[in-house]
Amino acid sequence: MEDGTSASLGYCGDTGIDDDVLQWDQRADCEVRQILDRIADKWSLLVIALLDKRSLRFTELRRAIDGVSQRMLTRTLRHLERDGLVSRTVHATVPPRVDYRLTPMGATLHSTINALVVWTEEHQNAIAAARAAYDERAAAERAAAEREAAEREAIARAALPPRR
């Protein structure tokens, strides 16, 4: 084993380089990366946000989340339950009723997500302006490249003898 290498395969912490970003390792077996992938998923964020106020049934969640398929919502809820962020309660009724709610750990994640939403709301106009400026620059660059290509083609045609 190399010096500075952890014996734990899932460990992706600092190996001597003083750069926090490297802790978000790109290895597939990095647990931090796996957790970030899960909680940063758009469906997970929406489920966590919706479950903040109260428990909800599957059908209530599905109606509230525009565009989510039954399969994707089922997968998302299972993953969040496995990670300890959502609890699932099955009620012995006919038909069976299943409620989902945030666990205490899931509730702490909601406050973090809420901070991200607040930041997004505060900066949405600046982001829209940056996007518009970028799109303008990209369109201008494409137009300039097309003009240059047309000019090169015209020069090449003028230099070559006509085809017979």
Short mmCIF file of all heavy atoms in Angstrom, two decimals, residues 50-102:
data_model
loop_
_atom_site.label_atom_id
_atom_site.label_comp_id
_atom_site.label_asym_id
_atom_site.label_seq_id
_atom_site.Cartn_x
_atom_site.Cartn_y
_atom_site.Cartn_z
N LEU A 50 -40.41 19.04 -0.10
CA LEU A 50 -41.84 18.81 0.14
C LEU A 50 -42.12 18.16 1.48
O LEU A 50 -43.15 18.42 2.11
CB LEU A 50 -42.43 17.95 -0.98
CG LEU A 50 -42.60 18.66 -2.32
CD1 LEU A 50 -42.89 17.66 -3.42
CD2 LEU A 50 -43.72 19.70 -2.23
N LEU A 51 -41.22 17.30 1.94
CA LEU A 51 -41.44 16.59 3.20
C LEU A 51 -41.06 17.42 4.42
O LEU A 51 -41.23 16.97 5.55
CB LEU A 51 -40.68 15.26 3.22
CG LEU A 51 -41.18 14.21 2.23
CD1 LEU A 51 -40.28 12.98 2.29
CD2 LEU A 51 -42.63 13.85 2.51
N ASP A 52 -40.58 18.63 4.21
CA ASP A 52 -40.18 19.47 5.34
C ASP A 52 -41.34 19.81 6.26
O ASP A 52 -41.20 19.78 7.47
CB ASP A 52 -39.54 20.76 4.83
CG ASP A 52 -39.17 21.69 5.98
OD1 ASP A 52 -38.48 21.22 6.91
OD2 ASP A 52 -39.59 22.86 5.95
N LYS A 53 -42.48 20.12 5.72
CA LYS A 53 -43.61 20.59 6.53
C LYS A 53 -44.41 19.46 7.18
O LYS A 53 -44.88 19.59 8.28
CB LYS A 53 -44.56 21.43 5.66
CG LYS A 53 -43.90 22.62 5.00
CD LYS A 53 -43.48 23.65 6.02
CE LYS A 53 -42.89 24.85 5.32
NZ LYS A 53 -41.80 25.44 6.03
N ARG A 54 -44.57 18.35 6.45
CA ARG A 54 -45.40 17.26 6.97
C ARG A 54 -45.11 15.99 6.21
O ARG A 54 -44.45 16.01 5.17
CB ARG A 54 -46.88 17.61 6.87
CG ARG A 54 -47.36 17.78 5.43
CD ARG A 54 -48.82 18.26 5.38
NE ARG A 54 -49.27 18.42 4.02
CZ ARG A 54 -49.96 17.51 3.34
NH1 ARG A 54 -50.28 16.37 3.91
NH2 ARG A 54 -50.35 17.74 2.11
N SER A 55 -45.64 14.89 6.72
CA SER A 55 -45.50 13.63 5.99
C SER A 55 -46.47 13.64 4.82
O SER A 55 -47.52 14.29 4.86
CB SER A 55 -45.77 12.44 6.91
OG SER A 55 -47.11 12.43 7.32
N LEU A 56 -46.10 12.93 3.76
CA LEU A 56 -46.94 12.86 2.57
C LEU A 56 -47.02 11.43 2.07
O LEU A 56 -46.10 10.64 2.27
CB LEU A 56 -46.36 13.74 1.45
CG LEU A 56 -46.36 15.25 1.68
CD1 LEU A 56 -45.54 15.95 0.62
CD2 LEU A 56 -47.78 15.78 1.69
N ARG A 57 -48.13 11.13 1.42
CA ARG A 57 -48.29 9.84 0.78
C ARG A 57 -47.62 9.87 -0.58
O ARG A 57 -47.35 10.94 -1.14
CB ARG A 57 -49.78 9.52 0.63
CG ARG A 57 -50.46 9.37 1.99
CD ARG A 57 -51.93 9.17 1.86
NE ARG A 57 -52.19 7.86 1.27
CZ ARG A 57 -53.41 7.39 1.06
NH1 ARG A 57 -54.47 8.10 1.39
NH2 ARG A 57 -53.57 6.21 0.52
N PHE A 58 -47.36 8.70 -1.12
CA PHE A 58 -46.69 8.59 -2.41
C PHE A 58 -47.44 9.39 -3.49
O PHE A 58 -46.83 10.15 -4.25
CB PHE A 58 -46.59 7.11 -2.82
CG PHE A 58 -45.86 6.90 -4.12
CD1 PHE A 58 -44.50 6.73 -4.13
CD2 PHE A 58 -46.55 6.89 -5.33
CE1 PHE A 58 -43.81 6.54 -5.33
CE2 PHE A 58 -45.87 6.71 -6.53
CZ PHE A 58 -44.52 6.54 -6.52
N THR A 59 -48.75 9.20 -3.54
CA THR A 59 -49.53 9.89 -4.58
C THR A 59 -49.50 11.41 -4.40
O THR A 59 -49.51 12.14 -5.38
CB THR A 59 -51.00 9.40 -4.60
OG1 THR A 59 -51.54 9.52 -3.28
CG2 THR A 59 -51.09 7.97 -5.07
N GLU A 60 -49.45 11.88 -3.16
CA GLU A 60 -49.35 13.33 -2.92
C GLU A 60 -48.01 13.85 -3.43
O GLU A 60 -47.95 14.92 -4.05
CB GLU A 60 -49.50 13.64 -1.43
CG GLU A 60 -50.88 13.37 -0.87
CD GLU A 60 -50.93 13.55 0.63
OE1 GLU A 60 -50.06 12.99 1.33
OE2 GLU A 60 -51.85 14.25 1.09
N LEU A 61 -46.96 13.10 -3.17
CA LEU A 61 -45.63 13.49 -3.67
C LEU A 61 -45.62 13.50 -5.20
O LEU A 61 -45.12 14.44 -5.82
CB LEU A 61 -44.55 12.54 -3.15
CG LEU A 61 -44.13 12.73 -1.71
CD1 LEU A 61 -43.33 11.54 -1.21
CD2 LEU A 61 -43.32 14.01 -1.57
N ARG A 62 -46.18 12.47 -5.79
CA ARG A 62 -46.17 12.37 -7.26
C ARG A 62 -46.93 13.52 -7.89
O ARG A 62 -46.51 14.09 -8.89
CB ARG A 62 -46.75 11.04 -7.70
CG ARG A 62 -46.62 10.86 -9.19
CD ARG A 62 -46.58 9.44 -9.61
NE ARG A 62 -46.43 9.38 -11.05
CZ ARG A 62 -47.14 8.59 -11.82
NH1 ARG A 62 -48.02 7.77 -11.30
NH2 ARG A 62 -46.96 8.60 -13.12
N ARG A 63 -48.08 13.88 -7.31
CA ARG A 63 -48.85 15.02 -7.83
C ARG A 63 -48.11 16.34 -7.66
O ARG A 63 -48.20 17.22 -8.49
CB ARG A 63 -50.21 15.11 -7.14
CG ARG A 63 -51.28 14.31 -7.84
CD ARG A 63 -52.65 14.59 -7.26
NE ARG A 63 -53.08 13.38 -6.57
CZ ARG A 63 -53.35 13.29 -5.28
NH1 ARG A 63 -53.30 14.32 -4.51
NH2 ARG A 63 -53.71 12.14 -4.75
N ALA A 64 -47.36 16.46 -6.58
CA ALA A 64 -46.68 17.72 -6.27
C ALA A 64 -45.40 17.92 -7.09
O ALA A 64 -44.96 19.06 -7.27
CB ALA A 64 -46.34 17.78 -4.78
N ILE A 65 -44.82 16.83 -7.59
CA ILE A 65 -43.56 16.93 -8.33
C ILE A 65 -43.85 16.75 -9.82
O ILE A 65 -44.01 15.63 -10.30
CB ILE A 65 -42.54 15.89 -7.84
CG1 ILE A 65 -42.27 16.06 -6.36
CG2 ILE A 65 -41.24 16.00 -8.63
CD1 ILE A 65 -41.40 14.99 -5.75
N ASP A 66 -43.89 17.85 -10.51
CA ASP A 66 -44.19 17.84 -11.93
C ASP A 66 -43.08 17.13 -12.72
O ASP A 66 -41.91 17.45 -12.57
CB ASP A 66 -44.33 19.28 -12.44
CG ASP A 66 -44.82 19.35 -13.87
OD1 ASP A 66 -45.69 18.53 -14.23
OD2 ASP A 66 -44.31 20.20 -14.62
N GLY A 67 -43.48 16.15 -13.53
CA GLY A 67 -42.53 15.48 -14.41
C GLY A 67 -41.89 14.22 -13.87
O GLY A 67 -41.19 13.54 -14.61
N VAL A 68 -42.07 13.91 -12.60
CA VAL A 68 -41.45 12.70 -12.06
C VAL A 68 -42.31 11.49 -12.41
O VAL A 68 -43.53 11.53 -12.33
CB VAL A 68 -41.22 12.79 -10.53
CG1 VAL A 68 -42.52 12.75 -9.76
CG2 VAL A 68 -40.27 11.71 -10.06
N SER A 69 -41.65 10.42 -12.85
CA SER A 69 -42.38 9.19 -13.14
C SER A 69 -42.56 8.40 -11.85
O SER A 69 -41.85 8.63 -10.87
CB SER A 69 -41.61 8.34 -14.16
OG SER A 69 -40.41 7.87 -13.58
N GLN A 70 -43.49 7.47 -11.87
CA GLN A 70 -43.72 6.63 -10.70
C GLN A 70 -42.46 5.85 -10.36
O GLN A 70 -42.06 5.77 -9.19
CB GLN A 70 -44.88 5.67 -10.96
CG GLN A 70 -45.18 4.77 -9.78
CD GLN A 70 -46.46 3.98 -9.98
OE1 GLN A 70 -47.33 4.37 -10.74
NE2 GLN A 70 -46.56 2.86 -9.27
N ARG A 71 -41.80 5.32 -11.38
CA ARG A 71 -40.58 4.55 -11.17
C ARG A 71 -39.48 5.41 -10.55
O ARG A 71 -38.80 4.99 -9.61
CB ARG A 71 -40.10 3.98 -12.51
CG ARG A 71 -38.84 3.18 -12.41
CD ARG A 71 -38.45 2.62 -13.79
NE ARG A 71 -37.23 1.85 -13.73
CZ ARG A 71 -36.01 2.36 -13.87
NH1 ARG A 71 -35.85 3.65 -14.10
NH2 ARG A 71 -34.95 1.58 -13.80
N MET A 72 -39.29 6.62 -11.05
CA MET A 72 -38.22 7.49 -10.55
C MET A 72 -38.52 7.93 -9.12
O MET A 72 -37.61 8.00 -8.29
CB MET A 72 -38.02 8.69 -11.46
CG MET A 72 -36.83 9.54 -11.07
SD MET A 72 -35.27 8.64 -10.86
CE MET A 72 -34.93 8.13 -12.52
N LEU A 73 -39.78 8.24 -8.83
CA LEU A 73 -40.12 8.64 -7.46
C LEU A 73 -39.91 7.47 -6.51
O LEU A 73 -39.37 7.65 -5.40
CB LEU A 73 -41.56 9.15 -7.39
CG LEU A 73 -42.02 9.62 -6.02
CD1 LEU A 73 -41.11 10.72 -5.46
CD2 LEU A 73 -43.46 10.11 -6.08
N THR A 74 -40.29 6.27 -6.92
CA THR A 74 -40.07 5.09 -6.09
C THR A 74 -38.59 4.90 -5.80
O THR A 74 -38.18 4.69 -4.66
CB THR A 74 -40.65 3.83 -6.78
OG1 THR A 74 -42.05 4.02 -6.96
CG2 THR A 74 -40.39 2.58 -5.96
N ARG A 75 -37.76 4.98 -6.84
CA ARG A 75 -36.31 4.83 -6.67
C ARG A 75 -35.75 5.91 -5.74
O ARG A 75 -34.94 5.63 -4.86
CB ARG A 75 -35.60 4.92 -8.02
CG ARG A 75 -35.76 3.68 -8.86
CD ARG A 75 -34.93 3.75 -10.12
NE ARG A 75 -33.52 3.80 -9.74
CZ ARG A 75 -32.56 4.21 -10.54
NH1 ARG A 75 -32.82 4.61 -11.75
NH2 ARG A 75 -31.31 4.22 -10.13
N THR A 76 -36.19 7.15 -5.96
CA THR A 76 -35.69 8.26 -5.15
C THR A 76 -36.04 8.05 -3.68
O THR A 76 -35.18 8.20 -2.80
CB THR A 76 -36.27 9.60 -5.65
OG1 THR A 76 -35.87 9.79 -7.02
CG2 THR A 76 -35.81 10.76 -4.81
N LEU A 77 -37.28 7.68 -3.41
CA LEU A 77 -37.70 7.46 -2.03
C LEU A 77 -36.94 6.29 -1.39
O LEU A 77 -36.53 6.38 -0.23
CB LEU A 77 -39.21 7.23 -1.96
CG LEU A 77 -40.06 8.47 -2.21
CD1 LEU A 77 -41.51 8.08 -2.49
CD2 LEU A 77 -39.96 9.44 -1.04
N ARG A 78 -36.72 5.24 -2.14
CA ARG A 78 -35.96 4.10 -1.61
C ARG A 78 -34.53 4.50 -1.26
O ARG A 78 -34.00 4.11 -0.23
CB ARG A 78 -35.95 2.94 -2.60
CG ARG A 78 -37.25 2.19 -2.63
CD ARG A 78 -37.19 1.02 -3.58
NE ARG A 78 -38.50 0.36 -3.64
CZ ARG A 78 -38.89 -0.37 -4.65
NH1 ARG A 78 -38.09 -0.59 -5.69
NH2 ARG A 78 -40.08 -0.94 -4.63
N HIS A 79 -33.91 5.27 -2.15
CA HIS A 79 -32.53 5.70 -1.89
C HIS A 79 -32.47 6.62 -0.67
O HIS A 79 -31.57 6.49 0.16
CB HIS A 79 -31.96 6.41 -3.12
CG HIS A 79 -31.68 5.51 -4.27
ND1 HIS A 79 -30.51 4.81 -4.41
CD2 HIS A 79 -32.42 5.19 -5.35
CE1 HIS A 79 -30.53 4.09 -5.51
NE2 HIS A 79 -31.69 4.30 -6.11
N LEU A 80 -33.41 7.54 -0.58
CA LEU A 80 -33.42 8.46 0.56
C LEU A 80 -33.70 7.72 1.86
O LEU A 80 -33.13 8.05 2.91
CB LEU A 80 -34.44 9.58 0.34
CG LEU A 80 -34.11 10.57 -0.77
CD1 LEU A 80 -35.29 11.51 -1.02
CD2 LEU A 80 -32.85 11.35 -0.46
N GLU A 81 -34.55 6.70 1.79
CA GLU A 81 -34.82 5.88 2.98
C GLU A 81 -33.56 5.10 3.36
O GLU A 81 -33.19 5.03 4.53
CB GLU A 81 -35.98 4.93 2.70
CG GLU A 81 -36.35 4.07 3.89
CD GLU A 81 -37.49 3.11 3.60
OE1 GLU A 81 -37.90 2.95 2.44
OE2 GLU A 81 -37.95 2.48 4.57
N ARG A 82 -32.90 4.53 2.38
CA ARG A 82 -31.67 3.76 2.63
C ARG A 82 -30.60 4.64 3.27
O ARG A 82 -29.87 4.20 4.16
CB ARG A 82 -31.15 3.16 1.33
CG ARG A 82 -29.90 2.34 1.51
CD ARG A 82 -29.50 1.65 0.21
NE ARG A 82 -28.33 0.83 0.44
CZ ARG A 82 -27.13 1.11 -0.04
NH1 ARG A 82 -26.93 2.18 -0.79
NH2 ARG A 82 -26.12 0.31 0.22
N ASP A 83 -30.51 5.89 2.83
CA ASP A 83 -29.51 6.82 3.37
C ASP A 83 -29.92 7.41 4.72
O ASP A 83 -29.16 8.18 5.30
CB ASP A 83 -29.27 7.96 2.37
CG ASP A 83 -28.55 7.49 1.12
OD1 ASP A 83 -27.95 6.40 1.14
OD2 ASP A 83 -28.59 8.23 0.11
N GLY A 84 -31.11 7.06 5.20
CA GLY A 84 -31.53 7.53 6.51
C GLY A 84 -32.10 8.94 6.52
O GLY A 84 -32.22 9.56 7.57
N LEU A 85 -32.49 9.44 5.35
CA LEU A 85 -33.02 10.80 5.26
C LEU A 85 -34.54 10.85 5.28
O LEU A 85 -35.13 11.86 5.66
CB LEU A 85 -32.50 11.47 3.97
CG LEU A 85 -30.97 11.53 3.86
CD1 LEU A 85 -30.57 12.02 2.48
CD2 LEU A 85 -30.40 12.40 4.95
N VAL A 86 -35.17 9.75 4.87
CA VAL A 86 -36.63 9.67 4.82
C VAL A 86 -37.05 8.39 5.51
O VAL A 86 -36.40 7.36 5.38
CB VAL A 86 -37.11 9.66 3.34
CG1 VAL A 86 -38.57 9.29 3.22
CG2 VAL A 86 -36.86 11.02 2.69
N SER A 87 -38.14 8.47 6.27
CA SER A 87 -38.70 7.25 6.86
C SER A 87 -40.01 6.93 6.16
O SER A 87 -40.73 7.81 5.70
CB SER A 87 -38.92 7.42 8.36
OG SER A 87 -39.93 8.38 8.61
N ARG A 88 -40.30 5.65 6.11
CA ARG A 88 -41.48 5.13 5.41
C ARG A 88 -42.33 4.38 6.44
O ARG A 88 -41.83 3.49 7.12
CB ARG A 88 -41.02 4.20 4.30
CG ARG A 88 -42.08 3.53 3.52
CD ARG A 88 -41.39 2.68 2.43
NE ARG A 88 -42.36 2.03 1.60
CZ ARG A 88 -42.76 0.79 1.76
NH1 ARG A 88 -42.26 0.04 2.72
NH2 ARG A 88 -43.65 0.27 0.96
N THR A 89 -43.59 4.76 6.53
CA THR A 89 -44.50 4.10 7.46
C THR A 89 -45.65 3.48 6.67
O THR A 89 -46.35 4.18 5.93
CB THR A 89 -45.07 5.11 8.48
OG1 THR A 89 -43.99 5.77 9.13
CG2 THR A 89 -45.94 4.42 9.51
N VAL A 90 -45.82 2.17 6.83
CA VAL A 90 -46.90 1.45 6.15
C VAL A 90 -48.02 1.26 7.16
O VAL A 90 -47.81 0.72 8.25
CB VAL A 90 -46.43 0.08 5.62
CG1 VAL A 90 -47.57 -0.65 4.94
CG2 VAL A 90 -45.25 0.26 4.68
N HIS A 91 -49.22 1.71 6.81
CA HIS A 91 -50.40 1.56 7.67
C HIS A 91 -51.20 0.35 7.19
O HIS A 91 -51.43 0.19 5.99
CB HIS A 91 -51.27 2.82 7.62
CG HIS A 91 -50.54 4.04 8.07
ND1 HIS A 91 -50.36 4.36 9.38
CD2 HIS A 91 -49.93 5.02 7.35
CE1 HIS A 91 -49.68 5.49 9.47
NE2 HIS A 91 -49.40 5.92 8.25
N ALA A 92 -51.60 -0.49 8.13
CA ALA A 92 -52.33 -1.72 7.80
C ALA A 92 -53.79 -1.40 7.51
O ALA A 92 -54.68 -1.63 8.33
CB ALA A 92 -52.21 -2.72 8.94
N THR A 93 -54.04 -0.85 6.35
CA THR A 93 -55.40 -0.55 5.91
C THR A 93 -55.59 -1.16 4.53
O THR A 93 -54.65 -1.62 3.90
CB THR A 93 -55.63 0.98 5.81
OG1 THR A 93 -54.71 1.53 4.87
CG2 THR A 93 -55.48 1.66 7.15
N VAL A 94 -56.83 -1.16 4.07
CA VAL A 94 -57.11 -1.65 2.72
C VAL A 94 -57.69 -0.49 1.94
O VAL A 94 -58.73 0.04 2.31
CB VAL A 94 -58.10 -2.83 2.74
CG1 VAL A 94 -58.44 -3.28 1.34
CG2 VAL A 94 -57.53 -3.97 3.56
N PRO A 95 -57.06 -0.04 0.88
CA PRO A 95 -55.73 -0.43 0.42
C PRO A 95 -54.66 0.08 1.38
O PRO A 95 -54.90 1.00 2.17
CB PRO A 95 -55.62 0.25 -0.95
CG PRO A 95 -56.49 1.44 -0.86
CD PRO A 95 -57.62 1.05 0.06
N PRO A 96 -53.46 -0.50 1.33
CA PRO A 96 -52.40 -0.08 2.24
C PRO A 96 -52.06 1.40 2.04
O PRO A 96 -52.09 1.90 0.92
CB PRO A 96 -51.20 -0.95 1.86
CG PRO A 96 -51.73 -2.02 1.00
CD PRO A 96 -53.03 -1.56 0.45
N ARG A 97 -51.79 2.08 3.13
CA ARG A 97 -51.41 3.49 3.06
C ARG A 97 -49.96 3.61 3.51
O ARG A 97 -49.58 3.06 4.54
CB ARG A 97 -52.31 4.32 3.98
CG ARG A 97 -52.11 5.81 3.77
CD ARG A 97 -53.05 6.62 4.63
NE ARG A 97 -52.19 7.41 5.50
CZ ARG A 97 -52.50 7.78 6.71
NH1 ARG A 97 -53.65 7.43 7.24
NH2 ARG A 97 -51.68 8.50 7.42
N VAL A 98 -49.17 4.32 2.72
CA VAL A 98 -47.75 4.50 3.03
C VAL A 98 -47.48 5.99 3.13
O VAL A 98 -47.82 6.76 2.23
CB VAL A 98 -46.85 3.86 1.95
CG1 VAL A 98 -45.39 4.06 2.29
CG2 VAL A 98 -47.18 2.39 1.78
N ASP A 99 -46.89 6.39 4.26
CA ASP A 99 -46.51 7.79 4.46
C ASP A 99 -45.00 7.91 4.48
O ASP A 99 -44.30 7.01 4.96
CB ASP A 99 -47.04 8.31 5.81
CG ASP A 99 -48.55 8.45 5.84
OD1 ASP A 99 -49.12 8.82 4.80
OD2 ASP A 99 -49.15 8.20 6.90
N TYR A 100 -44.53 9.03 3.97
CA TYR A 100 -43.10 9.34 3.98
C TYR A 100 -42.90 10.63 4.75
O TYR A 100 -43.68 11.56 4.63
CB TYR A 100 -42.58 9.52 2.55
CG TYR A 100 -42.66 8.25 1.75
CD1 TYR A 100 -43.78 7.95 0.98
CD2 TYR A 100 -41.61 7.34 1.77
CE1 TYR A 100 -43.86 6.78 0.25
CE2 TYR A 100 -41.69 6.15 1.03
CZ TYR A 100 -42.81 5.89 0.28
OH TYR A 100 -42.89 4.73 -0.43
N ARG A 101 -41.83 10.66 5.56
CA ARG A 101 -41.49 11.87 6.30
C ARG A 101 -39.99 11.97 6.43
O ARG A 101 -39.28 10.97 6.32
CB ARG A 101 -42.20 11.92 7.64
CG ARG A 101 -41.60 11.06 8.72
CD ARG A 101 -42.23 11.26 10.11
NE ARG A 101 -42.85 12.54 10.26
CZ ARG A 101 -44.16 12.74 10.50
NH1 ARG A 101 -44.95 11.71 10.65
NH2 ARG A 101 -44.66 13.94 10.61
N LEU A 102 -39.51 13.19 6.66
CA LEU A 102 -38.08 13.37 6.86
C LEU A 102 -37.69 12.82 8.23
O LEU A 102 -38.42 12.98 9.21
CB LEU A 102 -37.71 14.85 6.82
CG LEU A 102 -37.72 15.54 5.47
CD1 LEU A 102 -37.27 17.00 5.62
CD2 LEU A 102 -36.84 14.83 4.46
#
